[in-house]
Amino acid sequence: METTEIDAVLQALANADRRKILDLVKADPGCTVSSVVKHFDTSRVAIMRHLNVLYDCKLLLHEKVGRSRHLYLNSVPIQLIYDRWTDEYGAFWGGQLADIKYRVERGENND
Amino acid sequence: METTEIDAVLQALANADRRKILDLVKADPGCTVSSVVKHFDTSRVAIMRHLNVLYDCKLLLHEKVGRSRHLYLNSVPIQLIYDRWTDEYGAFWGGQLADIKYRVERGENND
DNA sequence: TAGTTACGTAATGAAATGGTTACCTATTGC
DNA sequence: GCAATAGGTAACCATTTCATTACGTAACTA
């Protein structure tokens, strides 16, 4: 996975509305754009912009049928991100996480 | 974890330079700002801005000693993100991941 | 103590992000 | 055919992001 692809996926995930879209599509695979829009107060165009971001980084797959566009979740990018971080930080987590978390929970972190 | 906190952590991770900083600090806990800056072509101020982003979302802990600032990785936010996504998408992954990953590795992904 | 080192901040500017309204095209249903 | 529906695009605007240069301050060192 290219650096720019990781950037794009993380950037896409760094927005609550886009994460909500993913959740909605996950809950109702094959749903349409307008059905997603109904769950938001923001404009249809704004949601479509979010959808385009999700298409670009391939978190959402889509196909046009008639005048509708059907949406599907593609979890592969998330999985790749997950692998990246667990691979690179897994050892660190395993070794130090418990202690650090303990200290943080006791308010002993030095922010 | 608040939505805005998730946003902040993912936003922070959505930048290759900031991820590189995390990798550097992970490889050399307690390293200083200037030692991190040496690994980049961009200006010291730009890197310090990235550091501030990482401080704000608590991916980096830091303490000033003399005229130096020592940096430490705090993997708790990453762990929380990890938990968030595996909790919400775990079932989906569990059901389809093996097959998808297998297909991806064989170059048969459906992008 | 004078100079270098390490870090911090201010001012500035280009580009990206995220939203809006207005309008346009294609499909469906009556 | 005509109106309603579903989606797409264009133009615009405010804010944030991300970089720069210039300058300031505290601490180490020769």
Side-chain angles (χ1 to χ4, degrees), chain A residues 86 88-100, chain B residues 26 75 79:
Chain A
T86 52
E88 293 204 10
Y89 286 79
F92 183 81
W93 289 357
Q96 301 192 21
L97 177 59
D99 177 56
I100 288 176
Chain B
K26 167 173 160 289
S75 63
Q79 181 67 42

Side-chain angles (χ1 to χ4, degrees), chain B residues 8-28:
Chain B
V9 175
L10 288 169
Q11 179 72 38
L13 294 176
N15 178 285
D17 281 351
R18 282 194 292 263
R19 290 197 303 276
K20 182 175 173 182
I21 291 173
L22 293 179
D23 290 341
L24 290 168
V25 174
K26 167 173 160 289
D28 184 20

Side-chain angles (χ1 to χ4, degrees), chain A residues 2 11-13 18 25 38-42 48 62 68 71-72 74 77 79 85 90 94 99 102:
Chain A
E2 296 264 331
Q11 179 72 39
L13 294 176
R18 283 194 291 263
V25 173
K38 287 197 184 81
H39 292 83
F40 293 89
D41 290 332
T42 51
M48 283 183 57
H62 52 98
S68 297
L71 306 176
Y72 303 92
N74 179 23
Q79 181 64 41
W85 284 99
D99 177 56
Y102 175 75

Side-chain angles (χ1 to χ4, degrees), chain B residues 5-94:
Chain B
E5 290 182 73
I6 296 178
D7 285 2
V9 175
L10 288 169
Q11 179 72 38
L13 294 176
N15 178 285
D17 281 351
R18 282 194 292 263
R19 290 197 303 276
K20 182 175 173 182
I21 291 173
L22 293 179
D23 290 341
L24 290 168
V25 174
K26 167 173 160 289
D28 184 20
C31 64
T32 63
V33 173
S34 54
S35 73
V36 168
V37 169
K38 286 198 184 81
H39 292 84
F40 293 89
D41 290 332
T42 50
S43 72
R44 179 179 58 89
V45 177
I47 300 301
M48 284 184 56
R49 267 179 133 27
H50 285 313
L51 288 173
N52 281 322
V53 171
L54 294 169
Y55 301 156
D56 287 347
C57 67
K58 296 172 183 166
L59 279 166
L60 281 188
L61 306 178
H62 52 98
E63 65 175 337
K64 188 142 190 177
V65 176
R67 63 181 167 179
S68 298
R69 182 169 295 278
H70 296 279
L71 306 176
Y72 304 91
L73 184 66
N74 179 22
S75 63
V76 172
I78 292 178
Q79 181 67 42
L80 295 177
I81 293 277
Y82 164 84
D83 288 344
R84 195 272 189 195
W85 285 100
T86 52
D87 285 351
E88 293 206 8
Y89 286 79
F92 185 80
W93 288 357

Side-chain angles (χ1 to χ4, degrees), chain A residues 48-104:
Chain A
M48 283 183 57
R49 268 177 135 24
H50 286 313
L51 287 174
N52 282 322
V53 172
L54 295 169
Y55 301 156
D56 286 347
C57 69
K58 296 168 184 169
L59 279 166
L60 280 188
L61 307 177
H62 52 98
E63 65 174 337
K64 187 143 188 176
V65 176
R67 64 182 166 179
S68 297
R69 183 169 293 279
H70 296 278
L71 306 176
Y72 303 92
L73 183 66
N74 179 23
S75 64
V76 172
I78 292 178
Q79 181 64 41
L80 295 177
I81 294 276
Y82 165 84
D83 287 345
R84 195 273 190 194
W85 284 99
T86 52
D87 287 351
E88 293 204 10
Y89 286 79
F92 183 81
W93 289 357
Q96 301 192 21
L97 177 59
D99 177 56
I100 288 176
K101 192 168 185 183
Y102 175 75
R103 288 167 57 213
V104 169

